[in-house]
Amino acid sequence: MVRMIERSKSSDNTITTDAIVYSQLGDQLFNELASRMATRHDYRLLFEHTLDQKLFQQIRVAAATYISACLGSPLILSEAALVKALLEARGKLSNHTGTGLLVPKREHTLEFNAFQKSIATAFSSLDANDLIDAVDLPVNLRVMYGEISPEKLKLPFNSAKRHSDVWAGVHPDATVVVLPLFGDIEHLTIEAGEMPREMELGAMRIMSDFDEGKDIPMVKTYEGAQLQHGTMYFNDARGLHQTVRRRLEGVRISVDFRFRRKFNDVYRAMVPPLVGGIEEDNSVPYEEWLKVGRETMIVFDESIHQMKHDPTAPVPLYNRGYRTVPLFQD
């Protein structure tokens, strides 16, 4: 019995040691990214980069053009007009999913390619190109309403529940990027923080519902990290975050995507491969990602009228319902 107890204690110590090594190695890799990309790094698992205003304006124009196309507007709407039109269209846009994603379809191909290109242009200016391995394609344009239906709130992967994106199937070594574009980012915002270091390794697993992780505490809240238009927020996948609605009115429009970095094979190997998550791996090599809108085009064959969507179903962001085609002959 004594030997069994000693063996159990030894096993627990090994698990704890591995967890701390994992956390420290993750911090080292994340800090290296921050040293290249951050204009502000006040929190362990979150840093910020304030974009050049010209780059940000280019993204906003491209985003407004894409959203206007989704709304069926022949004109590029101003921010005020976009917000008003989106509020009027709430619940009526068939390509607006339960996760807040405004999904591009055949009718929006040209506009979305220009938007994708604008994000890649800004991201590639952050002086870490040699560290980037793969990036989500396409990026995610989200429209988050203050008032949403009870059915959407019940979705297992609703972002209003505190979570790590890993729980839905995102790679544990990923970095999540969020860029607010339009709307009320003060009251329709994101709160982020961190779990205990010793729990990070064990929490890098698939869950069937974000509620499975509700007993994992947020021991530190990044209260000072308030969303600002024109600032990119980089959150390590080990971090916890959630959408917060401080009032029922309004809408927030933002873009997000995930990327994986190079030179972290040891870190990746510390977590067994994830199987069964709702999120498919829709990342592509960084070099391929940068070409979209320049040398290639991302094409969505499904039209708005062909789209079938159940707003009560737990849906992934994308399911590879697109293809890329070359723009030019060699």
Side-chain angles (χ1 to χ4, degrees), residues 309-324:
H309 171 60
D310 178 358
T312 64
V315 292
L317 294 179
Y318 286 102
N319 55 7
R320 287 286 184 183
Y322 64 84
R323 56 194 171 91
T324 56

Side-chain angles (χ1 to χ4, degrees), residues 244-261:
V244 174
R245 294 172 170 87
R246 296 179 180 143
R247 68 180 188 186
L248 296 180
E249 299 81 16
V251 63
R252 186 194 85 222
I253 305 166
S254 59
V255 58
D256 63 85
F257 59 94
R258 285 74 61 100
F259 70 89
R260 305 177 77 185
R261 57 156 294 168

Side-chain angles (χ1 to χ4, degrees), residues 62-281:
T65 304
Y66 166 61
I67 299 167
S68 298
C70 291
L71 289 165
S73 171
L75 303 175
I76 302 174
L77 300 176
S78 66
E79 178 173 7
L82 276 178
V83 169
K84 181 175 184 293
L86 285 169
L87 289 172
E88 292 174 349
R90 182 171 50 204
K92 302 174 185 177
L93 289 173
S94 58
N95 62 326
H96 184 240
T97 73
T99 56
L101 192 68
L102 195 61
V103 183
K105 293 300 172 182
R106 178 184 298 182
E107 295 86 346
H108 320 124
T109 296
L110 290 177
E111 292 86 355
F112 190 87
N113 272 270
F115 175 59
Q116 174 77 39
K117 177 184 175 183
S118 71
I119 298 296
T121 298
F123 185 72
S124 64
S125 73
L126 304 190
D127 197 33
N129 293 305
D130 59 314
L131 294 181
I132 310 303
D133 183 17
V135 191
D136 281 356
L137 182 71
V139 297
N140 310 313
L141 192 287
R142 292 186 196 269
V143 175
M144 306 297 288
Y145 289 103
E147 182 180 357
I148 60 173
S149 68
E151 290 79 14
K152 288 185 178 180
L153 282 173
K154 293 177 183 178
L155 289 173
F157 299 101
N158 189 288
S159 64
K161 303 175 182 181
R162 188 176 68 236
H163 65 282
S164 159
D165 285 358
V166 176
W167 301 351
V170 172
H171 291 290
D173 65 303
T175 300
V176 183
V177 185
V178 176
L179 174 64
L181 297 175
F182 304 106
D184 186 353
I185 58 175
E186 179 182 357
H187 300 101
L188 307 177
T189 188
I190 300 171
E191 290 185 354
E194 57 192 69
M195 67 183 79
R197 277 183 176 274
E198 63 273 14
M199 298 184 74
E200 290 174 358
L201 179 58
M204 297 297 98
R205 58 187 178 86
I206 299 294
M207 298 185 184
S208 61
D209 189 311
F210 284 155
D211 282 339
E212 282 188 39
K214 64 184 179 181
D215 292 331
I216 298 175
M218 185 184 284
V219 294
K220 186 172 183 178
T221 303
Y222 299 160
E223 295 179 355
Q226 303 296 322
L227 293 184
Q228 300 289 330
H229 288 133
T231 296
M232 279 183 164
Y233 297 84
F234 294 75
N235 195 188
D236 190 285
R238 293 170 294 150
L240 297 173
H241 58 279
Q242 65 190 113
T243 298
V244 174
R245 294 172 170 87
R246 296 179 180 143
R247 68 180 188 186
L248 296 180
E249 299 81 16
V251 63
R252 186 194 85 222
I253 305 166
S254 59
V255 58
D256 63 85
F257 59 94
R258 285 74 61 100
F259 70 89
R260 305 177 77 185
R261 57 156 294 168
K262 298 176 180 177
F263 315 121
N264 66 347
D265 292 346
V266 173
Y267 183 62
R268 288 187 185 184
M270 293 187 75
V271 179
L274 302 183
V275 179
I278 193 171
E279 297 291 359
E280 294 184 10
D281 181 5

Side-chain angles (χ1 to χ4, degrees), residues 283-301:
S283 63
V284 298
Y286 186 44
E287 295 75 13
E288 181 180 332
W289 189 78
L290 291 175
K291 291 179 181 179
V292 176
R294 294 179 173 83
E295 300 177 37
T296 64
M297 177 174 285
I298 183 169
V299 177
F300 307 92
D301 291 307

